[in-house]
Amino acid sequence: MKRESAAPRKSTRKPASRKKQQVQGTWWKPLSLGIGAFFLLCLGIEYFKEGGRLAFLRHNIEEATQINTAVTFSPAGYEVTGLDISHHQRQIDWKAVKKQKIKFAFIKATEGITHEDRYFARHWRQAKKHDVLRGAYHFFLPARDAEEQARSFLKKVKLEAGDLPPVLDVEVTNHQSDDEIRAGVQLWLDVVEEKYDLKPIIYTNYAFYEKHLAGHFDDYPLWIAHYNPKKSHQLANSSWSFWQHTEKGKLKGVQGNLDLNVFNGTMEDLYNMCYEPEAL
C-alpha cells in the first residue's frame, strides 16, 4: 500500500516584524495632523489679529461713508470727473468709459504689507493706453508697520510722468489710538514723498476725517468720500481736492456699481498736480 505523504503542518507563529512595521508605518499620521493643526492655528491668528497678514479678508470700515445718506446723486458744476476701481471691477471697457467724460482713475495697488490687488497691473496699463489720467492707492492698516506698508506700495507702483500723486486710503482704526494712527499715516506719507518728491493724497470718508484726522494733515491734498449732498462740501478748516460722491455709480463699460468722483478744479489744475520726474 502506497503511503500518503503527510500534509504540511501550518505554522501558528505570527511574523514578529508585522506589528513593528505597522507601528513604524503610522508614526507620520499624528505628526502630519499636528503640523496641519498648527498651520491652521497660525492662519486663524493672522485672520483674527487686528492688522494681521490676513486682516484684509475681514476688516470693516469703522464709519461708513454713507452716513446720513438719503439719495444717490450726480453733483453738477464740476467739469472734471473720474472713478476709482479695484479687483471688484475685473473687466473695464476703457473706450466706453472715456466717452462718458471720465478724465481720471484711481486704482487700488496694495493693502497692508503683503496684499497686492490682482487686477492692478491690468488696470494700470489700460488707463495709460486710453489716455485716462491714472493714480494708485494703498489701503492703510494702522496696526501694521507703516514704513513696511510704504515700501510694499513703492515696490508695486512705478510712477511715470503725468501720473497722479500716490494716494493713502485711511478709513479703519484697527483699534489703534488716534496718535498711533496719525503717526503711521505721517510715516507712510514721508516715505512715499521722499521717493517721488510729491505730496501724496489722503483719501478718507467724512466721518473718519472729522473724528481722527481733521487739523493734522492740512498740507496734503484731500480726497473725501461722503454721499450726503448737503454736507459733503463742509469740512472743518479744510478743503477737498477730490470728492467721491457715490459708491453706486453706473457707467457703460463697467459692470455693477462703482465709485464716482469729481475734482475740485480745472483740467489744467489736475495736470499741474501730476508727477513730473526731475530731468537727469
Side-chain angles (χ1 to χ4, degrees):
M1 181 181 290
K2 190 174 181 180
R3 186 180 177 182
E4 294 182 0
S5 59
R9 181 179 296 177
K10 293 183 180 180
S11 176
T12 59
R13 186 178 180 181
K14 296 182 180 179
S17 61
R18 180 177 297 178
K19 186 174 182 180
K20 293 183 179 179
Q21 290 176 352
Q22 290 177 345
V23 173
Q24 293 175 352
T26 57
W27 66 268
W28 57 271
K29 292 182 179 179
L31 178 61
S32 299
L33 291 173
I35 293 174
F38 177 76
F39 181 69
L40 289 175
L41 176 63
C42 291
L43 289 178
I45 292 173
E46 288 297 328
Y47 179 83
F48 287 105
K49 183 172 67 178
E50 291 297 337
R53 292 178 176 83
L54 299 181
F56 67 89
L57 295 174
R58 59 159 194 81
H59 61 238
N60 295 317
I61 307 304
E62 184 189 54
E63 293 102 353
T65 55
Q66 64 268 23
I67 288 176
N68 298 325
T69 300
V71 295
T72 299
F73 70 106
S74 296
Y78 299 95
E79 65 175 86
V80 184
T81 59
L83 73 165
D84 59 277
I85 53 178
S86 66
H87 61 276
H88 295 294
Q89 292 78 35
R90 298 184 180 184
Q91 298 291 336
I92 296 178
D93 184 339
W94 287 94
K95 289 183 178 180
V97 167
K98 191 173 181 182
K99 287 180 180 179
Q100 296 164 86
K101 299 181 179 181
I102 293 298
K103 303 297 185 183
F104 64 89
F106 286 112
I107 305 166
K108 184 177 182 179
T110 52
E111 177 177 317
I113 295 175
T114 59
H115 181 63
E116 298 180 353
D117 193 281
R118 60 185 177 273
Y119 291 105
F120 171 75
R122 177 197 296 176
H123 293 330
W124 191 247
R125 290 193 305 268
Q126 290 297 311
K128 180 78 170 182
K129 180 179 179 180
H130 292 86
D131 295 321
V132 176
L133 287 181
R134 63 185 185 178
Y137 74 88
H138 171 79
F139 193 100
F140 186 67
L141 297 179
R144 304 288 282 159
D145 185 277
E147 184 172 357
E148 289 189 34
Q149 292 189 66
R151 300 298 179 197
S152 174
F153 175 82
L154 292 175
K155 182 179 179 181
K156 182 70 174 180
V157 178
K158 306 300 180 184
L159 293 189
E160 299 177 7
D163 290 337
L164 290 165
V167 178
L168 182 62
D169 180 342
V170 189
E171 50 185 316
V172 296
T173 66
N174 289 153
H175 299 295
Q176 304 300 296
S177 69
D178 287 353
D179 288 341
E180 290 171 325
I181 294 171
R182 293 166 191 156
V185 167
Q186 189 64 67
L187 180 55
W188 192 99
L189 296 172
D190 289 343
V191 172
V192 174
E193 184 174 357
E194 182 179 4
K195 169 66 176 179
Y196 288 116
D197 193 26
L198 182 68
K199 281 193 175 298
I201 298 166
I202 295 176
Y203 168 93
T204 190
N205 67 65
Y206 181 85
F208 194 95
Y209 172 83
E210 292 286 355
K211 185 175 181 180
H212 303 289
L213 305 178
H216 292 274
F217 300 96
D218 294 342
D219 292 338
Y220 294 88
L222 179 63
W223 174 14
I224 198 74
H226 193 55
Y227 311 148
N228 187 323
K230 295 181 179 180
K231 295 184 179 180
S232 294
H233 307 71
Q234 300 171 9
L235 299 175
N237 302 318
S238 186
S239 60
W240 54 269
S241 297
F242 297 89
W243 174 22
Q244 185 187 92
H245 58 83
T246 182
E247 62 178 356
K248 298 179 180 179
K250 299 287 187 180
L251 287 177
K252 294 179 180 178
V254 185
Q255 292 184 349
N257 298 330
L258 74 160
D259 302 331
L260 295 180
N261 304 267
V262 294
F263 173 64
N264 192 18
T266 66
M267 275 305 300
E268 183 178 0
D269 295 329
L270 189 59
Y271 284 131
N272 288 336
M273 287 187 69
C274 292
Y275 174 60
E276 290 296 337
E278 295 183 359
L280 298 177

